[in-house]
Amino acid sequence: MKLLKRVLLLLLVIIGVVVYLNYPKLNIISGYAAKNVASGVFLAHRSAASMNQYDNSAPLIEIASTEIDEGEQSASSTVYGMMKRTAVYREGLGAVLINDDYDPKALTIRPQRNQPADTIPYPYGQAAPLDTILADVNMDQINKAIAMAFAEPETQKTRTFLILYKGHLIAEKYIDGFDKDTPILGWSMTKSVLASCYGILEHQGKLEMDWPAPIPEWKDDERKDITLNHLLRMQSGLAWNEDYTSISDVTRMLFLDSDMTRAQRDKKAIAKPTEIWNYSSGTTNLLSGILKQQFRSHQEYLDFPYSALIDKIGMYSMVMEADIAGNYVGSSYAWASTRDWARFGQLHLDKGNWNGEQLFDASWVDYITTPTAKSNGTYGAHFWLNAEGKYPDVPRDMFSCNGFEGQHVFMIPSKDLVVVRTGLAEEPYFDVNGVLSNIVKAVP
């Protein structure tokens, strides 16, 4: 009995130490779980059971328990009954984790959407895609590539896959529970959407990329030399820790901050601009805050991404979620159907021209696909690159929007291809080089 008591005491001590050391992380874990379920259920119209079983099955997140309140349109999560976090859904602004700063009456305005119907076939309009057979496409090779993308469902976890060639939908596939209308969280693909707003403003003559970042707190220190270009290229020299496995700059921002535009703004410089390349979600949310400064009212800011880009190209399923303060979380939180993510890719393949209207200069695509120093040819301006052959069997001109867990919009200009893949696992489980190389072989 004495031995048993000692063993039990030892176990309790061990459990106590583990809980003590990890207790702060529970805030992040339950926050992630609540936010994910609230968005999935009330924005993407998925079931809570599906969100909990699949989307929240990641390591550590899987220990959270989440329940929804249909009446309040909210989701609440705990970890072993501790550290309860709640996310509420706001029509038009998405779900947000609440804290003591949250006042449901503080932000009553919503983005104004204009979504006219038309008879133009997809992807350039809302009508059904043309049933076109392109003689120069090897469909057997295309089908081989799609089969490869879905070959190992337990490890690859591909959910949706779509290919546009020469502006025509030539293939798409969805697993059970997903279809052409299901909104998918893009995670960091959202960064590319936010960046495109800057391309549009530049085209409109309202700003230039070499302008100093308009941050009053920086004007009297070494940060005064940071430009919009430096921010878009992630080479500002500002300190930032993009570690999702710990309590870091990025996890504090996404799961604790009320105003996510301030996290990077308040960081000190650790290098001069261009001296280092440091990927930072905080930088993108800072850019979201700077975008807000370009408008006279909060309403104009909320409307702009939709009126100038999203609804303009028919991405009617897209919703960009906002933080408690009403800033778009440009780093991480845009949802859209697979077909609508492909529209975004086609816009960039067409160098900003949409049904005859130039939304941003053709030179903008040259700008975002110019490799950024110190990125080893993998990054341009809020878009990822293959400039130095990271994917050896894919053309070097391929550029892409990439997001957590393997969300991708690939654009290959030399092959006139847009490829969208969404899922819950990334490399090495999803073989980007293998799948894309098979698609590339299928077209001239």
Side-chain angles (χ1 to χ4, degrees):
M1 285 297 293
K2 288 183 178 179
L3 179 60
L4 179 59
K5 289 180 180 179
R6 289 175 180 173
V7 171
L8 291 174
L9 179 60
L10 179 60
L11 287 174
L12 287 172
V13 170
I14 293 173
I15 292 171
V17 170
V18 170
V19 170
Y20 175 78
L21 293 176
N22 289 278
Y23 187 75
K25 290 183 181 180
L26 303 188
N27 207 350
I28 306 299
I29 293 169
S30 57
Y32 179 109
K35 165 66 180 63
N36 213 24
V37 171
S39 295
V41 170
F42 299 111
L43 191 160
H45 308 295
R46 302 259 314 280
S47 71
S50 174
M51 292 298 301
N52 281 315
Q53 182 176 356
Y54 299 109
D55 298 65
N56 281 359
S57 65
L60 292 183
I61 307 302
E62 62 190 352
I63 67 176
S65 299
T66 307
E67 297 181 350
I68 63 168
D69 185 324
E70 292 281 0
E72 296 292 330
Q73 290 194 302
S74 67
S76 297
S77 300
T78 60
V79 180
Y80 304 129
M82 297 180 288
M83 202 62 81
K84 182 178 180 179
R85 297 295 305 279
T86 298
V88 299
Y89 176 70
R90 306 153 300 168
E91 187 68 33
L93 294 175
V96 66
L97 280 167
I98 63 174
N99 55 29
D100 292 340
D101 294 334
Y102 178 68
D103 178 358
K105 298 178 181 179
L107 183 62
T108 58
I109 59 174
R110 298 292 184 264
Q112 298 174 353
R113 308 285 301 259
N114 181 28
Q115 302 178 341
D118 59 53
T119 58
I120 303 171
Y122 174 82
Y124 296 105
Q126 298 302 313
L130 295 173
D131 188 13
T132 303
I133 298 177
L134 300 177
D136 56 352
V137 178
N138 183 336
M139 287 307 299
D140 288 340
Q141 188 71 35
I142 291 292
N143 291 331
K144 177 182 177 182
I146 294 174
M148 183 178 181
F150 288 87
E152 300 176 13
E154 295 302 315
T155 54
Q156 288 175 314
K157 299 182 180 181
T158 298
R159 288 175 152 175
T160 75
F161 200 84
L162 182 151
I163 304 172
L164 297 178
Y165 174 59
K166 293 184 177 180
H168 293 274
L169 177 63
I170 62 170
E172 62 184 333
K173 183 175 180 178
Y174 303 89
I175 66 168
D176 289 345
F178 293 79
D179 59 31
K180 63 182 180 62
D181 299 314
T182 306
I184 306 288
L185 176 58
W187 287 108
S188 285
M189 294 203 299
T190 312
K191 291 179 171 68
S192 302
V193 178
L194 191 282
S196 297
C197 291
Y198 276 81
I200 293 169
L201 286 176
E202 181 190 55
H203 178 64
Q204 294 175 351
K206 295 178 179 178
L207 52 72
E208 296 178 13
M209 295 308 108
D210 61 357
W211 282 4
I215 309 298
E217 295 93 328
W218 296 359
K219 64 183 179 63
D220 294 323
D221 62 36
E222 66 274 17
R223 297 173 296 181
K224 66 180 181 297
D225 296 324
I226 297 172
T227 66
L228 298 178
N229 174 61
H230 295 142
L231 295 172
L232 284 163
R233 293 190 174 280
M234 304 288 188
Q235 55 176 189
S236 66
L238 295 172
W240 187 261
N241 181 8
E242 187 88 3
D243 180 5
Y244 289 87
T245 64
S246 65
I247 299 175
S248 66
D249 293 331
V250 68
T251 55
R252 278 192 293 265
M253 176 185 69
L254 290 178
F255 305 113
L256 298 176
D257 285 359
S258 300
D259 180 347
M260 299 190 197
T261 70
R262 298 204 61 88
Q264 183 72 90
R265 177 189 299 239
D266 296 338
K267 292 293 183 180
K268 298 298 183 182
I270 57 174
K272 293 180 180 179
T274 74
E275 284 188 345
I276 61 173
W277 180 80
N278 186 28
Y279 184 79
S280 163
S281 289
T283 291
T284 308
N285 289 334
L286 171 59
L287 283 165
S288 181
I290 294 173
L291 181 68
K292 187 177 180 180
Q293 293 176 236
Q294 309 310 305
F295 301 96
R296 292 173 296 178
S297 70
H298 196 166
Q299 184 69 63
E300 289 177 295
Y301 162 72
L302 291 178
D303 292 345
F304 180 75
Y306 293 103
S307 63
L309 172 62
I310 296 168
D311 289 343
K312 181 76 75 172
I313 67 171
M315 296 177 68
Y316 296 166
S317 70
M318 177 167 276
V319 174
M320 291 184 68
E321 297 184 290
D323 62 19
I324 287 176
N327 306 298
Y328 286 125
V329 187
S331 66
S332 314
Y333 291 153
W335 295 71
S337 68
T338 302
R339 284 191 176 186
D340 279 354
W341 281 116
R343 291 183 206 264
F344 184 74
Q346 189 65 47
L347 172 69
H348 286 79
L349 205 65
D350 293 339
K351 294 200 168 186
N353 190 283
W354 195 260
N355 291 328
E357 182 178 1
Q358 199 70 36
L359 303 191
F360 48 74
D361 289 344
S363 61
W364 177 256
V365 176
D366 298 328
Y367 168 71
I368 62 174
T369 57
T370 299
T372 295
K374 310 294 175 63
S375 74
N376 296 320
T378 64
Y379 206 74
H382 269 52
F383 284 76
W384 293 89
L385 311 179
N386 194 40
E388 293 189 12
K390 177 182 178 180
Y391 304 114
D393 302 312
V394 181
R396 295 288 182 99
D397 67 343
M398 187 267 282
F399 62 109
S400 63
C401 318
N402 297 352
F404 176 56
E405 296 186 316
Q407 320 314 314
H408 296 288
V409 178
F410 299 106
M411 293 142 282
I412 310 177
S414 59
K415 293 292 184 175
D416 217 341
L417 283 167
V418 174
V419 180
V420 178
R421 184 267 182 177
T422 75
L424 288 178
E426 48 199 287
E427 294 181 286
Y429 302 105
F430 179 72
D431 182 3
V432 171
N433 184 71
V435 172
L436 290 184
S437 64
N438 273 289
I439 296 172
V440 165
K441 293 173 185 175
V443 299

